[in-house]
Amino acid sequence: MAGIKAHRSALEKSLEAALESREKRWIRRRLPDPNISSSNSPLVDFSSNDYLSLSNSPTLRTHFLQRLSAAPDVLGSGGSRLLVNGRAHAALEARLADFFKSETALLFNSGFDANVGFFSCIPQPGDVVVYDEYIHASVHDGIRASRARDAQFAFSHNSVLDLRRVLMRLKEERKGLAMGENSLFLAVESLYSMDGTFAPLAEIVDLLDEVFPAKNGYLVVDEAHSTGIYGPQGRGRVAMLGLEDRVLARLHTFGKALAATGAVLLTNTLVRDYLLNYARSLIYTTSLSYANIIAGDCSFDMLTNGTAQHLSKRLLDLSAYFTDTLRPLLESRWIPPSLVSLPSHLSQVSHQDPSPIIPIMTPHPRPLSAYLLALGMNARPITWPTVPKGKDRVRVCLHAGNTKEDMDRLIDGILAWAEETVQDGTKAVLTTRTLRSNSLVLAGIVESKL
Ligand SMILES: Cc1ncc(COP(=O)(O)O)c(C=O)c1O
């Protein structure tokens, strides 16, 4: 709104007050500077979810362009899946059902739409939804719109003990659950996007079977961040553990490691048919364009031909190198853990199962991120409400295209910032102020959950 208006409407006042309140609390979201986030930025990317660096792959690009030019349909898709010819969509679904060893597959325009679609309609009256406290916003939105909105319960992140407590209590309190007349849905992510932690899927399915022997406890696994990286040919962590037959639904998204757009929900025929009838985020929207379908299909070619597995190995080797190098250096330099630390799951000896997401815990994520930015590295600060209060961090996201030299530069940058901050206790605050006045706040924008 240009110029100063004499009269502010009630709506304007209310919207402005909310934004100002966020500004004061340092949690106002802004779009990143396009110069920083573009793919030809000279900055080293420690931020995007392009884990396998496929968005820069000349092979994938050439393959995609060839397929596009040969395809009968490229532009648009003409309408909702329920209205128009979806032959290309159906072919991709058939391919993915086969690839992921699932009874059926159903495409959604995004992972967000898939979670909203599933959780808003599948739970029936009397059913219950339990979720990990770090579950993605889209699951919350789905549950809120569902018939289980008043029967939703969180358990402590990745705690099988707390999950057991929640499940036992619900079974005790709700006769329908104990008798197998109602269902319980359990929502987890196989790899958590802000923490880089893995859900203990094998223990979770065993627990569900133990507490609900009538098989009315259903696991739903969001594999948005593990798609392409884990499991045989990048089929995800459910496949890695051979649990395909023990989950009700799996979500794989195309927008992260696959450098495409869209998502697929893998489930059984009955659930798929129900979603086609009741999932509003599928019914009332234009389906993925043909070009999107071709892009997704080409990315899956990178999985089936072994390219992804090769890139994933490189990515996870880099991740192990990064944490195993940083950890002892943080300790040996007497940097207070209250200033910079690795999270507890990474603070022990070399981990066997690395993740490309590494949170650098610090109460000053914006100054650290700005410091790294000045050194040519883009790693984003993440604060409340995206993560719990007191768990601010710089989220380092590694990519197959990163090099060991990149890792060393990043480690040097983190250590240099920490040492300077220890020497000059006010530095963190000063850096933040300087940033603000230079309108470089772009480096310190709170991210929406990625
Ligand atoms: C865990 C998780 N689930 C779902 C989504 C949504 O996926 P999409 O980006 O395809 O909408 C995201 C991404 O933001 C995510 O991190």
Side-chain angles (χ1 to χ4, degrees):
M1 275 169 278
I4 299 170
K5 277 172 69 187
H7 173 74
R8 320 294 295 152
S9 71
L11 176 64
E12 285 169 334
K13 281 188 203 156
S14 176
L15 302 186
E16 282 168 4
L19 290 174
E20 273 162 26
S21 158
R22 286 206 147 187
E23 185 82 49
K24 281 195 196 117
R25 290 176 293 143
W26 291 86
I27 58 167
R28 180 165 172 168
R29 291 179 163 111
R30 286 187 172 85
L31 293 176
D33 183 317
N35 296 321
I36 286 181
S37 52
S38 74
S39 60
N40 51 15
S41 151
L43 294 171
V44 184
D45 176 15
F46 290 123
S47 165
S48 80
N49 294 321
D50 181 24
Y51 302 112
L52 298 178
S53 302
L54 279 181
S55 70
N56 295 314
S57 158
T59 315
L60 178 56
R61 184 188 167 98
T62 308
H63 181 46
F64 172 55
L65 293 177
Q66 279 170 353
R67 284 279 308 278
L68 260 191
S69 60
D73 302 304
V74 168
L75 301 175
S77 70
S80 161
R81 210 42 217 294
L82 292 151
L83 289 182
V84 296
N85 164 22
R87 210 179 315 145
H89 299 66
L92 180 57
E93 285 172 346
R95 173 190 189 175
L96 296 183
D98 185 51
F99 177 67
F100 286 107
K101 301 191 191 335
S102 169
E103 196 176 308
T104 59
L106 183 59
L107 291 172
F108 282 81
N109 288 358
S110 69
F112 196 100
D113 283 356
N115 274 334
V116 168
F118 182 93
F119 285 98
S120 63
C121 75
I122 296 294
Q124 303 295 301
D127 290 352
V128 168
V129 184
V130 174
Y131 54 86
D132 186 287
E133 62 176 330
Y134 290 178
I135 201 74
H136 193 255
S138 50
V139 173
H140 285 290
D141 283 15
I143 299 170
R144 256 182 233 141
S146 80
R147 286 164 287 197
R149 71 181 73 84
D150 298 324
Q152 47 170 313
F153 304 89
F155 68 97
S156 305
H157 177 55
N158 271 352
S159 166
V160 178
L161 205 69
D162 192 49
L163 176 59
R164 174 182 287 279
R165 181 190 63 78
V166 172
L167 297 183
M168 295 302 284
R169 201 195 66 212
L170 287 168
K171 194 175 150 182
E172 243 171 64
E173 287 172 1
R174 296 172 184 251
K175 288 284 154 279
L177 274 184
M179 311 280 290
E181 286 159 6
N182 295 122
S183 307
L184 180 139
F185 298 89
L186 178 54
V188 298
E189 293 174 29
S190 52
L191 169 59
Y192 286 86
S193 60
M194 293 296 135
D195 291 77
T197 42
F198 303 113
L201 294 174
E203 288 156 85
I204 289 176
V205 287
D206 284 348
L207 179 63
L208 268 183
D209 281 356
E210 179 198 322
V211 181
F212 297 103
K215 304 268 179 221
N216 55 330
Y218 298 102
L219 184 60
V220 181
V221 184
D222 183 335
E223 300 239 40
H225 292 270
S226 42
T227 306
I229 305 174
Y230 296 97
Q233 296 178 303
R235 292 204 297 266
R237 292 186 70 89
V238 169
M240 181 177 113
L241 299 165
L243 301 174
E244 289 97 326
D245 295 336
R246 299 180 72 186
V247 302
L248 176 66
R250 281 176 276 166
L251 172 68
H252 289 277
T253 62
F254 307 163
K256 303 184 194 297
L258 302 190
T261 263
V264 67
L265 199 80
L266 305 164
T267 187
N268 62 42
T269 312
L270 178 61
V271 170
R272 183 178 191 274
D273 282 352
Y274 192 91
L275 289 167
L276 281 171
N277 279 276
Y278 292 99
R280 298 165 71 83
S281 59
L282 176 83
I283 300 166
Y284 298 108
T285 186
T286 302
S287 57
L288 287 170
S289 76
Y290 296 112
N292 286 145
I293 295 293
I294 295 165
D297 204 34
C298 289
S299 293
F300 277 100
D301 289 341
M302 300 292 113
L303 268 60
T304 47
N305 74 12
T307 305
Q309 206 137 4
H310 167 72
L311 293 172
S312 157
K313 173 155 179 12
R314 190 183 151 70
L315 170 68
L316 299 181
D317 285 350
L318 280 176
S319 169
Y321 173 76
F322 176 71
T323 44
D324 289 348
T325 311
L326 178 60
R327 188 187 313 103
L329 287 173
L330 279 176
E331 283 159 17
S332 68
R333 305 246 181 140
W334 301 103
I335 293 164
S338 56
L339 180 63
V340 184
S341 63
L342 285 167
S344 56
H345 71 278
L346 294 178
S347 64
Q348 306 302 317
V349 280
S350 172
H351 50 299
Q352 301 299 309
D353 195 5
S355 134
I357 302 162
I358 299 145
I360 307 295
M361 309 307 287
T362 173
H364 307 296
R366 287 190 188 82
L368 172 54
S369 170
Y371 191 94
L372 296 173
L373 192 62
L375 295 174
M377 292 174 278
N378 184 20
R380 310 300 295 273
I382 311 284
T383 64
W384 182 86
T386 302
V387 291
K389 280 187 175 149
K391 300 239 168 133
D392 288 357
R393 70 206 52 190
V394 167
R395 174 184 186 256
V396 168
C397 202
L398 301 181
H399 307 98
N402 288 136
T403 61
K404 264 198 174 161
E405 290 70 42
D406 293 339
M407 303 296 99
D408 292 337
R409 265 178 75 192
L410 181 58
I411 291 167
D412 287 347
I414 294 168
L415 294 173
W417 175 81
E419 284 173 351
E420 286 178 31
T421 306
V422 169
Q423 279 160 21
D424 174 2
T426 54
K427 187 176 174 70
V429 179
L430 283 177
T431 313
T432 307
R433 285 215 194 101
T434 319
L435 268 175
R436 264 200 138 180
S437 58
N438 289 347
S439 25
L440 267 174
V441 179
L442 45 95
I445 310 312
V446 178
E447 288 295 297
S448 55
K449 194 163 181 193
L450 300 169

